[in-house]
Every structure is written in C-alpha cells, then in structure tokens.
Amino acid sequence: MSKRIFAIVLSLALVCSFLPSAGAEGLDIPAPSAILMDAATGTILFEKNADERLPPASVTKVMTLLLVMEALDSGRIGWDDTVIASENAAAKGGSQVYLEVGEQMSMDEMLKSVVVSSANDCATALAEHIAGSEAAFVEMMNARAQELGLTDTHYVNCTGLDDEPNAAEHLTTAHDIAVISRELLRHDEIRKYTTIWMDTVRDGKFGLSNTNKLVRFYEGTTGLKTGYTSAAGHCISASAKRDGIELIAVVLNCSSSTDRFQSAKALLDYGFANYALVNAEPDEPLKPLHVVLGTQDTLTPVLQETAPILIEKGEQSKIVKTVSVCEEIAAPVTAGQQLGTLTLSAGERVLAEIPIIAPETVERLTLWELTLRLLRTACMSG
C-alpha cells in the first residue's frame, strides 16, 4: 500500500493515521486514471492508476495558473498590469480568444480567458509577462514541480498543446495534478474565475463559456480545469466544496467528455457521502499553567496545529478528545516547547496526536529578581 494512501497530512507533529476505504473498493468509474483528494489535509480517498504518467492536455494550466497567482502574491506582477500579446502568443492554436499581435489586455481579462475558456494564447502571454519567454516560464513550471516533490511531472509548454516535436515528453500523473490543484486552491482569488459559467472580455464583445460543465451542473463546484487533445483524451481536475469540506477529483485519458464528467462527479459524490472534517481543538479552552520561578507566574498553552482532521462520517459521534498537559512548569520556558498533547481517538484508533506548546518564552528569574520578589512577599505578609 502506498504510503500516501489515506495518510492524513497535518504537520510533522500529527501522527499519520489511515482511513478505512468506506466502500471505495466498489467505486467503479470509466476513467483509466483517477484520484480523489481532500483539499484541506491532502488525504487520498481513492486512486486508480494515479501514478501513471500521461499527457494532461490543458489541465497543464493548473500549474500555469499556480505560478501566475504566486507571482501576483509576491508582487512580481500586479493585478493592475496590462499584458501585451507577442507574436508567439497570438500564433497559438487550439482554444483561444484570438489575440492579435500587440493587443493589450488587463490581468483580470487574461486570467478569466485562461480559466474559463482555456485560452492558449492568453496562457502564453501571461507566461511571457512573468518570465520573459515561454521557455523560461516552462523552466519555472518544472522547478515548481520539483519543489512539490512531483518527480513524475515534466512540462514542455505552458498550455498542454501537443503540436510540438517534444510533446511526447509533456507528462504528469493524476496524483501530481491533485497536489498542484491543492496548491492553487490555497489562493482564494482563483475561485473568482474558476466558478464563472459565462462572461465576456473586450468590453463585452467576446463571449466566454466555461469548459468545465460542473460549474453549472454540480452543486458546490469551485473549479478547476478541463483538457482535451487526441493524445491525452478528455481530462479534468475538478474541485467542489460542501459542508465545509473541499475535494479534488482528477481524471485523465477518458474516451469521451461524458466519461470525464461522470467520473469526476462519481468521485466527488463518494467523498461527500462518506467523509467529513472535524475541528482539531479541545472541547474546552486550555487553562493557564503555573510557571515556577518564571518572570511571569502563568502561561496559557496553545495547540501547535489547528488544522481539521478528515474522518469517516460514521465516526463523528465516536470521537473523543483527551488533553494531557502538565499543571506547572519550571522556567525557563522556550516558545514552541511541548507542554502536553491533545489526542483525538475513535474507539481504540488514534486519529491524531497534536502537541500542546508554549506560545512564548518565559525567562527564569535572576537571583536579584528572586530576592526582590521574596522581599515584596515578606513586606505584604508583614
């Protein structure tokens, strides 16, 4: 069993626990390669040939969009930027908004065109705007994949088009796309675009219609990106959110668009029907601890991590939260020092063990400070 399957990734402090399949073995989908991941924790709920290297078509743009959002967050580019179409961008085939060489478009409309209509010309223009050339941007894409630990992913362009001589080297996996999609969803601004069904650019003169039909027909859809080429087949990275849980379903190499959307819908339905997120916090606030010989008398501990935990819905009523923490601690105390543990369990199964830590440093009293404190105590008692 892969070490990724059912692993709850909260932090190094959390103990990885494994979720039962909850009927996953009976989930039959037509997609040759697929995965279902919880966006909050990264837990894999289902996979089918998820590590098979395949061409992703325009689902490639999930990585392109991630780099755009990261460039916006870092200030390398700005939301008020104007993007100019180069000859290379304007020459891109496939899905496009038919940019003309030298045409200027706002960052907002460029992003909208890429996300909603999968515009290859706009994706290329954005890549060039960030990196100076598409080739340089592709280097950034591959470097980012390596940073995320995605050794099965390699890009040769920013669009997913397979009309280049080295197109056969443009490969990734359902698992890797899910990881990239999860990173993209950390940028809340992207949902402004991925949830659009129909819109326009160029002052209403050019209409856009979302290639992701789930946006209109599946409750809670938050994105993300479809793709198709004859080599890649019909692909999608689909995300949706219901009752506080957001899921990512990636399917690749489907023989039809119908199979693509049916597979994604079946995966999402399965996840929403069987899993829920629980709050990883104690039932009652943590109480202050006495600090012996500290420059302050008390210290209120905190949880090192407060990320939610994914569980089977049937276990919600069985969860027990146990707090184990010392009543007092001797100074000095270092910020981040472990003072106890919050354990979440269901029956005999431990779901997570979350360290309880000191939120700040408390120094030990010097001899002079201790003497003064004793004198003040003596005077008050006298």
Side-chain angles (χ1 to χ4, degrees):
M1 180 179 291
S2 169
K3 65 181 180 180
R4 293 194 314 272
I5 300 176
F6 310 131
I8 297 180
V9 183
L10 293 177
S11 71
L12 291 176
L14 257 64
V15 174
C16 291
S17 62
F18 293 85
L19 295 170
S21 61
E25 66 278 359
L27 184 58
D28 185 24
I29 57 173
S33 176
I35 196 168
L36 178 66
M37 178 182 287
D38 171 55
T41 65
T43 305
I44 296 172
L45 305 178
F46 174 87
E47 60 178 0
K48 175 184 178 182
N49 301 322
D51 293 323
E52 183 179 357
R53 299 188 76 205
L54 294 166
S58 279
V59 181
T60 295
K61 297 186 180 84
V62 175
M63 175 61 91
T64 300
L65 291 166
L66 173 61
L67 294 186
V68 172
M69 298 309 296
E70 290 178 343
L72 285 165
D73 283 352
S74 68
R76 289 188 60 192
I77 60 175
W79 284 102
D80 57 352
D81 284 5
T82 297
V83 183
I84 303 173
S86 68
E87 184 175 350
N88 179 49
K92 291 294 179 180
S95 301
Q96 56 184 299
V97 298
Y98 305 98
L99 290 175
E100 296 183 0
V101 178
E103 182 177 355
Q104 300 183 22
M105 190 174 281
S106 69
M107 178 64 62
D108 175 72
E109 292 205 332
M110 280 282 179
L111 268 172
K112 189 190 302 182
S113 298
V114 173
V115 175
V116 179
S117 289
S118 196
N120 296 314
D121 46 2
C122 293
T124 304
L126 284 168
E128 293 172 342
H129 185 69
I130 291 172
S133 70
E134 183 180 3
F137 187 82
V138 171
E139 289 182 7
M140 292 174 59
M141 295 171 70
N142 286 318
R144 190 70 177 98
Q146 291 299 309
E147 289 174 2
L148 293 170
L150 309 180
T151 56
D152 290 326
T153 292
H154 179 74
Y155 300 106
V156 302
N157 60 51
C158 66
T159 61
L161 287 169
D162 58 4
D163 55 0
E164 301 177 18
N166 58 349
E169 301 172 19
H170 191 93
L171 298 169
T172 186
T173 68
H175 166 264
D176 288 5
I177 292 171
V179 172
I180 301 165
S181 298
R182 185 181 177 219
E183 288 296 314
L184 179 59
L185 286 169
R186 297 181 191 275
H187 301 268
D188 289 335
E189 301 91 340
I190 199 64
R191 292 175 175 81
K192 170 185 173 183
Y193 302 96
T194 56
T195 54
I196 293 172
W197 173 234
M198 298 184 74
D199 210 325
T200 62
V201 293
R202 298 186 177 115
D203 297 322
K205 297 176 182 177
F206 191 92
L208 306 175
S209 180
N210 204 321
T211 56
N212 181 8
K213 307 309 177 187
L214 296 179
V215 170
R216 182 177 182 185
F217 298 109
Y218 191 81
E219 179 188 352
T221 295
T222 56
L224 278 170
K225 192 71 197 71
T226 60
Y228 170 77
T229 65
S230 57
H234 296 267
C235 311
I236 189 171
S237 176
S239 60
K241 187 173 186 177
R242 294 181 185 174
D243 299 325
I245 181 172
E246 188 165 30
L247 302 174
I248 300 165
V250 179
V251 298
L252 300 178
N253 198 29
C254 289
S255 59
S256 69
S257 182
T258 299
D259 283 353
R260 166 178 62 188
F261 290 121
Q262 284 183 347
S263 295
K265 181 179 179 296
L267 289 170
L268 294 170
D269 283 347
Y270 161 75
F272 289 129
N274 289 285
Y275 295 94
L277 288 172
V278 296
N279 190 351
E281 295 184 0
D283 294 328
E284 297 181 358
L286 295 172
K287 297 179 180 179
L289 309 179
H290 175 58
V291 182
V292 179
L293 299 179
T295 52
Q296 62 188 57
D297 293 330
T298 62
L299 180 71
T300 302
V302 297
L303 291 179
Q304 184 182 64
E305 186 71 52
T306 57
I309 294 175
L310 191 72
I311 62 165
E312 289 182 37
K313 283 189 173 180
E315 289 188 323
Q316 284 178 289
S317 60
K318 304 176 185 177
I319 290 181
V320 175
K321 299 178 181 180
T322 305
V323 174
S324 175
V325 65
C326 53
E327 295 183 359
E328 65 177 21
I329 187 166
V333 181
T334 305
Q337 180 177 333
Q338 185 166 351
L339 305 175
T341 304
L342 169 65
T343 303
L344 281 77
S345 58
E348 297 182 356
R349 191 161 67 92
V350 175
L351 300 176
E353 292 180 336
I354 307 172
I356 297 171
I357 63 171
E360 58 186 321
T361 295
V362 179
E363 301 292 347
R364 184 180 177 88
L365 289 170
T366 64
L367 181 59
W368 174 245
E369 289 170 331
L370 179 59
T371 301
L372 290 176
R373 177 175 292 190
L374 291 173
L375 287 173
R376 283 196 298 269
T377 303
C379 290
M380 291 176 63
S381 60

